Every structure is written in C-alpha cells, then in structure tokens.
Amino acid sequence: MVEYLTKETFKEKVFDFENNKDWKFEGSKPCLVDFYADWCGPCKMVAPILDELKEEYGDALDIYKIDTEKEQELSAMFGIQSIPSLLFIPKGGQPQMAQGALSKENFKQAFSEVLGVDSK
C-alpha cells in the first residue's frame, strides 16, 4: 500500500528538516513522494498508477503521498506550486522533482534512472 505521510512521519522516514540544514535522507530504500490534493484531477489519475507500481516494485522502494492541503508546511518547504508534484529520492544523492501527471512508463523510467530500481 501507498503510505500517507504527515509532517512528523515525513521527518522520520524521509528528511528531518528541523534538525538538518543539508539534505540527509532518513529512509532505508529509495522512495517517491507524491504531493497531491483530493480536488486535483491529474492527482486522481496518478493515484491508481502509484498503487499498481507499489504492487509491482514491492519492497524495492517506498511510495508516499502528502496531502498539500493538510501539510502546508511541507508543501511550502519544497516550494510546491502545482500538483501533482513528485519527489524522487534515491538512497544516495540528491532528490529530483517532477511536476504533472506522469504515465506508468515515465514512472518506471524515473525509478530506473533516478532511483536505480527496477521492477521485480
């Protein structure tokens, strides 16, 4: 299942921005963070794709969702201006942001190229 994050769980699982100025990934495997809103049409198109990808990739990566309406501090921290905004976070290295609804193939390509993860 795709996991929904709050500010507190984001700090535990992704990045503790209150204690670190520089990027320091807290997770144990690569992840994708989907910044979305319930009213957003393109976000609704992406949601079932992310569920399918989580099934296909299993434990190779984590997929998180952040509701931009409820978690405005996180949205502001990442400068989220349009949604969906997708944050691809490799195990090592810097995260990369993509905006807009991606196709399943585009997600798979990003998982491979940015996260270094291929489906089972």
Side-chain angles (χ1 to χ4, degrees):
M1 270 306 286
V2 171
E3 185 177 345
Y4 293 80
L5 297 182
T6 63
K7 175 184 165 185
E8 290 309 311
T9 54
F10 180 86
K11 290 191 315 185
E12 286 170 26
K13 297 180 178 212
V14 182
F15 174 50
D16 185 354
F17 55 89
E18 291 181 335
N19 291 315
N20 293 300
K21 292 244 181 288
D22 296 324
W23 176 256
K24 179 182 178 292
F25 182 47
E26 300 291 342
S28 57
K29 53 190 161 188
C31 71
L32 166 68
V33 179
D34 172 23
F35 290 89
Y36 79 100
D38 289 333
W39 51 262
C40 164
C43 300
K44 290 178 184 170
M45 290 173 19
V46 166
I49 294 171
L50 294 180
D51 288 335
E52 287 175 27
L53 289 167
K54 182 58 187 158
E55 265 187 47
E56 285 179 35
Y57 284 78
D59 290 336
L61 74 144
D62 288 318
I63 298 178
Y64 300 125
K65 293 178 78 74
I66 293 176
D67 184 335
T68 56
E69 301 282 300
K70 291 181 184 159
E71 301 297 335
Q72 293 182 359
E73 185 179 352
L74 287 175
S75 301
M77 191 182 87
F78 283 98
I80 304 300
Q81 306 268 324
S82 64
I83 48 176
S85 283
L86 304 152
L87 186 64
F88 293 89
I89 305 173
K91 180 108 174 59
Q94 293 296 307
Q96 294 185 31
M97 185 74 79
Q99 293 178 330
L102 300 182
S103 69
K104 189 171 181 181
E105 289 310 309
N106 288 132
F107 276 111
K108 287 182 159 198
Q109 184 178 356
F111 288 172
S112 178
E113 292 174 7
V114 179
L115 303 182
V117 176
D118 292 304
S119 59
K120 319 183 234 182

